[in-house]
Amino acid sequence: MSGTPSSELHCTVLSRRETMTSTKLVFLFSVAVISLGTVRTAEADLPHVEISNWAIRFGAQMWEIGKQVTRIREIKERYQSEAKIEQVDGFAMVKEMAEEMENMMGDKIEAIKRIMDAAEQLSVSHPRLSRQDLYEMRQRAETIEYYNAKRLNMYHKSGPKAGELLDNHKELIMSNSQHFGNVGVNTSVSAVHVPTNVFDGGPDVMNGILWSEQLDRIFMTNYESDPSLTWQYFGSSTGFMRQYPATKWGQGEWEPDLFDCRLRPWYLQAAASPKDMIILVDTSGSMTGVRKEIAKHVVLTLLDTLSENDFINIYKFSEVPVPVVPCFKDKLVQANLENVRELRNGMMESETSDIANFTSAFTTAFEILAKYNRTTQGSQCNQAIMLVTDGAPVGYREIFEKYNWPHKPVRVFTYVIGREIIDTAATNWMACANKGYFARVTSLAEVREQVLKYIPVLSRPMVMYQKDHPVIWTSAYIDIAEPKLSDWLWEIRERRKQRDRSLNYRALLRLISERNNAQSDDTSNVTGNNTRDASGRPTISMTVEQYLTYGNLVNEERLNAHRIKQEREEAANPANNQQHNRQGKSVTSTTPNPVSSVPTKHPDGPRAEALVKPDTLKAWLKRIETRTKPKFLMAISVATPVYDRKNFSNIIEKILINDIWEEKTRTVRTANLLGVAGTDIPVTELKKRTPAYKLGVNGYSFIVNNNGFVLHHPDHRPLDADGLLKPNYNTVDLSEVELVDSDGGPRENDTYLMTMRREMIERREGETSFKVRVHHDGMRRVSVRRQRYYYRGLKGTPYSLGLALPDGYGHFRVVAETEVKRLMADHNINVSSFFSGKNWKIHPDWIYCRYNYDHLKSFDSPEAQVMHFVDRTQRERWRWNSKHPRPSHDSARCDKHLMQSLIFDAQATEVFDKNISLSIDRQDPHAMFKLFGISVAFVATRSGLLRWQDISTIDDKHFSEANLNAIDQTWYKRAVDQYSVEPDSFVYSVPFSTGTGITNESVVTASHAIFVEKGGYKAPAAVVGLQYKNSAFRETFFNITSGCTGGVQCRRTCSSGDLSCYVVDNHGYIVISKEERDTGRFFGEIDWLVMDSLIHYGVFKRVRIYDYQAVCKDMQGHRSAANFILTPLRYMKWFVQWMVGRATWLILQTQIAHLMNPDWAWAMEQEQADYHNEDNDESPGPTPTGGEFMADGDISIIVHDEAVTMDNAYANKTRPRPCDQQADLYVLQPEKLFKGDKPDSVKGKQNCNSNNLGARQCERHYSTHKIPHSNLLLLVIDTTCRCETQKQKIEMEEVRVNESLFCERPQENLYRLRPSVCLSYHPEEEEIKQCGKGSLQLPSLLLMTTTMIYSILKAI
């Protein structure tokens, strides 16, 4: 309403400025006073009647303000008059969405099959270059041209060749594509990635690169026929990967690159069927030094070759076999990330001693495998024993005859460690006699290549069948160079933290030594009461711990905060700021001023600015860490193996004839795996097939695989609070994200949930319903609701799609669309006019309309893209495309219903372009905003449209930028849930950090859901809301609670000293308090005894929430510096050990005998240093520029004079560990504050009697009242009687399990379904004789001597 406001609203305005005495005010805000019983007249009694009136008046006033500002009536009338309500058929919806996904996934399968078929044909028809051919080409200086992804678009940065391409590099034109993750791509060619440990000049690699180049035409044809395709690739068994479209690799040729396509989930699962594996690690006395390290890396690399469909265990053996993880004794565990991580940690510590008992080790392994095969546990497919040793005395034929022959269900692979000259005939025979492979590993650089040789052996049965090309689908995984880097990334972060702390410690010592007269006596944390130094610079008071943790980074962040604040104040009122700066005083105004689009800088700069409440150290750190957090993309892959169609190969062997080595060529039976063809599907693409606008508010979709793990779910949180991958990020079970509402303990399986889980794993169609606990705001709030689930299997995949819809409003949808052509024909209206101005945005992740090839047509923003298509829809030739239009470079994919709903919503919310004013000031369009401290009013609709109207920006980030996906925000979802509790109400919330000083001026957000009601049904159409300045919101409350009804003078009010008044939301968080620092905190942190009493009376209900994806941090500690003084001999022993070890290592790695053959080359893997070189120089770090004053001179730092020792320089290192956590949250029970339909209060008291007989004996009373039209309650506590208070925070704490249950794995006994295809046997496989080569060599006296010395030293 833009006309004259009603008299009621006018009274609302006056109520903020003066006491309400007129009859109109009494009429608006007075209701029948509830009978509260006889009130005692003792001095300690509370004014219950007035408290009730305060609650009623405050709630009514804020409701009237919110209604007027957010245009609730106008928007609701528009929807109510033109919209319809349709009932949602859950089965029909899940079927439609599942079929859409099946079509999309079917296209991907056809694409990779075309790649596979072409690759198999090309490998046969392409002429092969021999080693001699390649040698002759090098002699003629001829090269094979191809695009190496590591050698693209890299130029000399300086010197005479600055700007020129680096040697052996190529230039390739690329354009950024949002479809491919906003990276530069060239869709005309593919690029090749070669791992660091693979020689790209080898015959096998070069021949593969040559013939696979012709796959480009298949890649391009696939992309042209299916624009939704992302990365397509062919991963070769030789190590290289050809990827389309071509893009520059993240690491250059000389940078560390851990990527190897043969260790990716899609390659490992496609190359061989699932397997049960037991690794036997020899830990006898001879496995020391270098051998021990190589053996450990062999085992770790074997673990990297496993997927979640495999089962694994590791035994180390000398006299007896012992599992590396005691809890895994006598069993196999699923090779998910959590279990593999336990096994990796178990391999870190191992002692070597005694003599290896091979008989006992093999017996244990065979018996475990036989048990799992007999009881239909494990993979029920391939089985393998991996022996890691430095040699075996005999072949132990009797063991294999007893357990494995004649059928040989278990393959045996042997890895002999070390270059020492030993007899390998026994270990070679073990592998060859049991359908395995023998490999010799002589250095760390050889580990990966030698380990990976077992995969082609497992693939032989599959290759020999030829026609069977199983299609595999992976779980969701992170699209980064190495999928198992979470521990490594964590270690890097811990090292960086230690490095920064050490540098800060050195700077602190210098600061303290130079400080003489500028020492602060305040030992508290950073506060808002800053002073200035003698030079006029703002000072920051810090503790030693704060400086060591954050160092000088605070200067930059603090300075930026000051500058931003100053520019805003100067832009708002330049004249006032100039006077303010000259006088050096702070002038506070409760009326905000409009911000100019071009701020005017004051010539005095930041030193002359007004001092404002600064950000805390926590806020600074959060900003700094946000800049460096890695960004990850979740994706699934579909892949299929590529076979060599040649059944026989010619091999060249060297045979000793009459003491002369001669080369002979012979033909042998082979079954070679060429590689794997595949493509990625980002999880975001799966989500787009289940549009959020169809699911509605608080509805969601999820996908489960054959193991019960979720591919996507709204509660799936793969990253921790630091932005790093969780150790078990992609093995989150459905039972860990759907938290059933029950009174049971942690991980108690609910019948309905487990039934749904089983049926989804089996890809059945079904429906069920149960109550769940849904958490919000970082597990600080919880809602309990009943949801109905619909699910259906996805054909041709191991996945099932599920939909969850809230009972009630979740099964109804508002249908309101604007047909553009009809609107133009009937009313001659330009639809684009509905989107005038710049105060609107759309959901950035929803597909309204987009071109199939977005890299050919780009837009500055999603809004510009939508406006482009809005204009196109008004053209005569416009036609809405079908769901699967024929791709062309100008074709687009549009969601007709979503676009037409967006246009309708834009028209229905046009009222937000009109200004709100009052009769008291018709000249100022923002008078009402200023009067009540409103910073922004907004509306968010079901179609993803967000409109707003504002006059100021409180935070650095504008409201629209922080709420682009408004329908996904907590304030939107809570408003919809609140409608069923109290339709005419707003949901109020404040940031949890409001009272901590993280923001200069916090806000109170209020939101209200607009429902359309027709025919007895109702559904949400939009949510309107506004944001108040926290200071203005508090002022309104205390204006009302400082007086009594009718202007009567009150003896006791919220402004008096003997009453503590709190406004608490429906989850127990403080919205208003006398102490501003309490705002945003849980009330139990202030007074747990009163909170506990409210829980006892049923005003709040305790709801326990569990986090089954939590990460606990185990402290690792550090060594004391005194340890060196106490035990110098130990350090001398370590030094000698190191010298001998390095000498031995040098002998092994120089490989003098191999210098005769230059074709043998490999790269050494090196452990990363704790510090970068630039941080290890003699630079002392940050240097003070003015005595104790640090950095740029605009802000000075005062560090409190505390005891600073060497221990301060050490950071407490942590190690992440998956764990379960729990917390108690609280939910308001509004029915407890009503008698029938009349509001009622809850009154209580606390006995404050003291054990001290001389102390005053008294009781502390409190009274709580529901604030109408809100989710708030007013809590007033009598403080005349002083009581000891208790405090309790809401914090997640680890769930401690019973010691007897310690070894039980949470997911171990859950139902899972094995992959449908298992190819582990072919009757002709015995004809293949390639199984590695053994040798008999002479001993080396030098190596034996050095090894013996090293072993003796280790034993000391």
Side-chain angles (χ1 to χ4, degrees), residues 47 54 57 94 116 151 282 404 407 742 978 1087 1099 1247 1337:
W54 290 340
R57 290 171 57 196
V94 74
M116 174 269 297
R151 302 173 187 168
D282 183 354
N404 205 37
H407 303 296
S742 68
Q978 175 72 11
D1087 196 328
V1099 176
N1247 192 333
Q1337 299 178 352

Side-chain angles (χ1 to χ4, degrees), residues 69 165 353 437 576 739 749 874 883 979 1003 1025 1230 1332:
V69 171
L165 276 172
S353 63
Y437 199 88
N576 193 29
L739 306 180
N749 297 331
Q874 301 178 76
K883 290 184 179 180
Y979 190 87
V1003 295

